[in-house]
Amino acid sequence: MFERILVPTDGSPHATTAIEDAIELAADQDATLHALSVADSGPLGDVRLPGEAANPSEALAERAQGFVDDAVERAEAAGVEATGTIRNGPPSSEILDYAREIDADVIVMGSRGRGGLHRMAVGSVADHVIRFGEFRVLVVDAGEDATDT
C-alpha cells in the first residue's frame, strides 16, 4: 500500500514520535522512509543558538542535518531503508514540494513542532500541509508529556 513514506523532522518531541511511528509503518509496509528537515532561514525562522556557527544559515543547516541523520540511523537500525534530505525555505512549502518530488504515498508528521513566533505568525505547518497538499497525512501527537523546545 505504501512504498514511500515522508517524515519531516525539526527535532521536537512531536517530530521524534512521528519518526518512531513512520519507522514502524515503513517496516510493516516494506516501504522506504524519506526523512526531511527544513532549515527555515526566513525572517521568522529559528534564530542562531549560542555556540553555533557564526553564519546563521550554516547553523540551521547543521541542525537540520543532525535531525535527518538521527531519523535515518533509527530507521536503518530497525531494518528500514531510509534516505535523508535537508531543504531551506518555508517548512510547509518545502515539505509539500519534496513530497511531490518523491511521489510520497503518505506524510507522517508531528502535530506540533518547534513553533514559537513562526507558528503564531503564519499558522501550523501540519495544518498547511493538510489543507494545501494532495497527500495522505498522518498527524502524530506526542502526548501530554511532550514539551516543545
Side-chain angles (χ1 to χ4, degrees), residues 39-142:
D40 182 9
S41 60
L44 297 176
D46 279 330
V47 296
R48 183 173 60 91
L49 299 176
E52 288 187 321
N55 179 334
S57 294
E58 187 177 304
L60 291 172
E62 288 174 10
R63 285 176 56 198
Q65 188 64 56
F67 300 147
V68 165
D69 290 347
D70 179 63
V72 169
E73 288 171 12
R74 288 173 185 243
E76 290 175 344
V80 170
E81 182 180 343
T83 184
T85 301
I86 62 168
R87 294 286 182 94
N88 186 348
S92 55
S93 297
E94 292 298 327
I95 291 166
L96 289 173
D97 288 347
Y98 187 67
R100 289 179 188 111
E101 286 175 26
I102 66 166
D103 193 23
D105 296 304
V106 64
I107 301 170
V108 180
M109 62 189 305
S111 60
R112 291 189 294 262
R114 292 192 172 273
L117 179 61
H118 186 270
R119 186 195 301 143
M120 290 188 319
V122 296
S124 166
V125 172
D127 181 60
H128 185 93
V129 168
I130 292 165
R131 293 177 72 213
F132 297 104
E134 59 277 2
F135 301 94
R136 293 179 180 134
V137 181
L138 173 60
V139 180
V140 177
D141 186 5

Side-chain angles (χ1 to χ4, degrees), residues 2-5 24-33 79-81:
F2 297 134
E3 295 178 21
R4 291 165 303 281
I5 299 171
E24 187 176 327
L25 180 61
D28 182 60
Q29 297 286 309
D30 195 27
T32 300
L33 184 78
V80 170
E81 182 180 343

